[in-house]
Each structure stands twice: as C-alpha cells, then as structure tokens.
Amino acid sequence: MSPRRTAAAIAFLYLFLGYIWISFSDRFVFTLAAESAYLTQLQTYKGWAYVTVTALLLYVLAHRALQRERNLSERDGLTLLLNRHMFERELDSELAYAKNKDHNLTVIILNIDGFKQINSHVNLEAGDRFLVQIADIMRDSCHQQALLARFGGDEFAIALPDSRWPDAVVPLIQQIQRRIQHLHVAEAPRLNFSSSAGISLYPRDGSTANSLIDAATLALDEAKNSDRGSYKLFNAELSQIVSSRAQLLLDLKEAVEQKQLTVVYQPQFCVQKNIMTGVEVLVRWHHPKKGMIPPSDFIPLAEESGLICAITDFVMHQAIHELTTHELLYRDIKRVSFNVSAADFNHSESCERFIANLSSLPGDWSVIELELTESAALLNLEGIKNVLDVLRQRGVQVSLDDFGTGYSSLNTLRLLPIQEVKIDQSFVKDIIKNKQDAKLVRTILAMAQALHLRVVAEGVETHAQANYLMSAGCEEFQGYLYARPMSIEHLVTFIRNLKQQRAQP
C-alpha cells in the first residue's frame, strides 16, 4: 500500500473510532448518571479516557514508524545486518572505547567468490536467499559484541572488539569460509562457492573506521588476486602494491587513449595437412619506462577498471586493418580469433559495438572467431548468448577458451552457439607425465568429435606433446613449437616462408 493510502486509512480509522466513542460514550454516561451531580465529573473522566486512548494509539503508530525509519537508515534491508554508514559509526565508537581501555580490534572484509553465477544461472531471488544464509552464518559464528554489516552486493564486514590476532581471528575466518563452501543453491546444486577475506588490525593499520576498512579492502583485493578462497592480512607492502597498480592503471588509460598498444599474431596449424588454419590476435603493451608489461598484469586491471571494452575495440580494428592492408585476410588467413571478456557483453549496445568493429571487413564475417573463457561466460550467460546469437547469424564463429577449467563445461556448450573448444595449456603441459590430464584431454576430444566441434590444443611446446595429441585425435595446434606471437611484418615473412617450403618437392 502507498504512503498516501496508508495515511488515509489510519485517518479514516481514527475518525470512525472517534465517532463511535462520542456517540456511544455520551449515551453510556447519561444512562449511568442522568440528572446526577456526577454527570460533569463523568464527562471529564470520559474526556481523559479518550485522550489517553488516542495518545497510546499515536505512541504505537509513531514508534513503529520511527523504528522502521531507523531500521531503513541503519540496517541492510535484505539481511538486517548494519549498513555501511552505521557500521562505520559503530566502529568509530568501538575504536574510541578500545583507545580508552588499550584494547585491540580486528576488521574483516569478506567477499563471496563466484556469487554472480547465481544471478546468471538461476535468478535474483535465489541470490537474495543465498546472501541471507551468509548473514545467518556470520551471526552464528561471531560473538554478540561483534559488529556485522553488509556493504552491498556480496561484500560483508565484521569488526571484532578486543580480539587477539591470530589466535581468535584466524579460526573464526576459517570456520566462516568452510561453512560458505558447504552452501548450495537448490536450483543449481552444482555451483560451488568460496569466500575471500581481507583483515586489518587496530592500532597497527589505522586508528579510524575508514582507514581500517580501506586497509582490509586492500588486503581483500590481494587475496582475490592471489588465491580465491584465502585471506590476507594488510601490511605496508600491500599499500605499495596498490600504489603501483594505481599508477599502472593511469599509464594504461593513457596508453589506450594514445593508441600505444600493439597487436601480435600467433598462428594455428593443422600439422597433418601441413597448413596454417588461422591466427589468434593478442595485445601487447610496451611501457615507455617499464618496458614490456605482461598481459597477465594489465588485462585483469583493464577488466576491473572498465578499460577492457576500449582495448577489445582497438585490437579488432587494428588487426582487421593490418591483415587487410597486407592482403592476408581470406587469402592466406582463413580464421582470425579475438579474445573477448565478459565485460564486452555487459552493456545494451554490446551487439552494436561488435557489429561496428567488424563493419570494415571486406568479405564474409565467417573469417572472424570470438574466444570466450568459460569463467567469463558464466558471469553473464544470458547476455552473452543474446549477443552471440545475433553475431552467429552473420557468420561469426565462437570458440570456448580454456575448456575444462570452468564450473560447468557441458552446460556452457549446450547454451552457447559454439563451433570450437580450446584445450587449456595447463592440461597440455603435463599430458605426457600426468595420466589424469591425459584422460581429460581424450575425454574432451571424444566429446568434441561427438558434438562436431573443432578442437585446438594450446601451449604445445614439445614434439612429445604434439605426437600424443595427434594420436589422441587432435588436429589443430597452437604453441611455441610451431610459432611464437609475431608482428604483422614478421607474419608476412612467416607466411611467405611457409609457401616456399610447401612449394619445394
């Protein structure tokens, strides 16, 4: 019911009760003391009774309204834990007390790894129920003096007054993490979850609520970057790392704006037919002061900061321009693979972006292949599917990269319009020595063959690996054994040399 209707209903009820009171109370008084000396006194008592009853009614209504307003301003509406504002306020009070009593205090920021899978695989309601379960675990695990909060999304906070590090804190964090690992969503029982935590200590890491929360958040970021499902304690070195990352981000923004990035090409081969089947386009960044920055350093940074879409656009435009200018596309190169991120599909204009990027192609769009990792696909499965369905109608091919490392490979294959899977290099690396990896590769190959999917093995570096993969039925290879990533000029020379080799008797 709207506030206006609620207020009107209360006013109508008050008016109705007042009318009933006045009508029947007067009759009752006259019945008791008609023409009596007590009539005036009874009328006074009746008036006081009316004032008392209405005052009690107003008190109940005002108390409930104020309590609701207070809960809305202090509590998270879903979990009923403190919201961020009240957590900071209560934490400052606890810090003042801790300073007075010379006590210590611990702040923990907790984040759920893989939580977005619920929204993409199930629905928002299931996600809300999961967050309520997290809140219940926190209440059950922490003592009554602890401050518990939800900052928003899947981020929670805990403040533990007078808690010893590590004796009282580490067992608590490990207990919460274990219990979260055992949580399951009924609609998607195969989904697995973990939680990462960042920790800061008073007075070592700060003396205010904001400084301790910031320190714990930095530690949380480091935990998620290094090993999900872990916890990290803030230290001065982390502050230096964060400062370096912030500077690197500024440099990356400038590199994107000034078009200082470059692209390279790594050929893919069908060894049995002795032909090059395509190239994967990779991005490189040569920093003017720091030299070559590995993609493993700046790509995650670009995804976190929202720069990845601009990088994707640059890579696609630049590669198509270079390959077309050197007359390699369609003639010598029949397939060009681009790595795309989940963020490339997060906006309403994502489909238009890809179409604009590919509009300069001089021929059929089937020469283009988009490579998407399983983990990225799971972040926004429905949105990605909608975009890929449109692009697939125009001929664009889709490859599932790092196949076998995700949470639900078969489900991803079933839902997305995929023509190719890439065996992750982590399986290829030890395929000769590790029987489990060998079995997994053979299973992937058998499944791909049954589904009529093309398979490319990544990271092939030795003849032993290549021979094993060929005997298992894999036909296409990519790796240092055959060719390293190279510039467009070197690619032209490489293709010319290949042609000369094939022409020789």
Side-chain angles (χ1 to χ4, degrees), residues 192-327:
N192 297 314
F193 304 94
S194 61
S195 56
S196 301
I199 307 154
S200 62
L201 306 177
Y202 169 82
R204 194 196 73 169
D205 301 326
S207 57
T208 65
N210 283 331
S211 62
L212 288 171
I213 291 171
D214 288 345
T217 302
L218 294 179
L220 170 65
D221 292 340
E222 181 63 18
K224 293 178 75 70
N225 289 331
S226 60
D227 184 18
R228 293 198 170 194
S230 64
Y231 59 87
K232 292 285 184 182
L233 177 66
F234 176 81
N235 55 52
E237 190 178 326
L238 277 182
S239 182
Q240 182 61 39
I241 291 173
V242 171
S243 177
S244 299
R245 282 172 61 84
Q247 184 58 52
L248 192 65
L249 177 58
L250 291 176
D251 294 343
L252 180 59
K253 287 181 179 178
E254 183 178 353
V256 172
E257 291 170 1
Q258 301 298 324
K259 293 185 169 33
Q260 295 172 356
L261 302 175
T262 58
V263 296
V264 293
Y265 308 85
Q266 186 170 27
Q268 300 167 337
F269 297 89
C270 177
V271 178
Q272 292 174 333
K273 296 180 182 179
N274 193 28
I275 59 172
M276 189 175 77
T277 54
V279 293
E280 179 180 358
V281 185
L282 304 167
V283 64
R284 294 292 183 262
W285 178 23
H286 190 278
H287 193 282
K289 294 180 180 178
K290 300 177 182 178
M292 193 63 71
I293 307 294
S296 57
D297 287 350
F298 72 85
I299 292 298
L301 195 62
E303 290 180 331
E304 293 168 13
S305 61
L307 286 174
I308 194 64
C309 293
I311 292 177
T312 300
D313 295 345
F314 165 79
V315 170
M316 296 185 80
H317 281 293
Q318 186 68 15
I320 292 172
H321 171 73
E322 290 183 356
L323 293 172
T324 304
T325 301
H326 288 83
E327 298 181 347

Side-chain angles (χ1 to χ4, degrees), residues 341-409:
S341 164
D344 286 312
F345 300 87
N346 283 344
H347 306 287
S348 57
E349 67 277 6
S350 296
C351 195
E352 288 74 16
R353 271 186 54 237
F354 281 114
I355 292 174
N357 291 340
L358 301 176
S359 60
S360 60
L361 282 169
D364 192 272
W365 285 19
S366 61
V367 75
I368 299 298
E369 181 176 74
L370 301 182
E371 287 191 18
L372 183 72
T373 62
E374 284 186 83
S375 53
L378 292 173
L379 293 176
N380 182 18
L381 198 57
E382 189 62 32
I384 291 172
K385 182 181 184 302
N386 292 337
V387 175
L388 292 182
D389 283 341
V390 173
L391 296 177
R392 185 73 195 106
Q393 292 174 6
R394 292 174 174 249
V396 175
Q397 301 184 62
V398 183
S399 173
L400 193 60
D401 199 5
D402 300 343
F403 188 74
T405 62
Y407 296 100
S408 53
S409 306

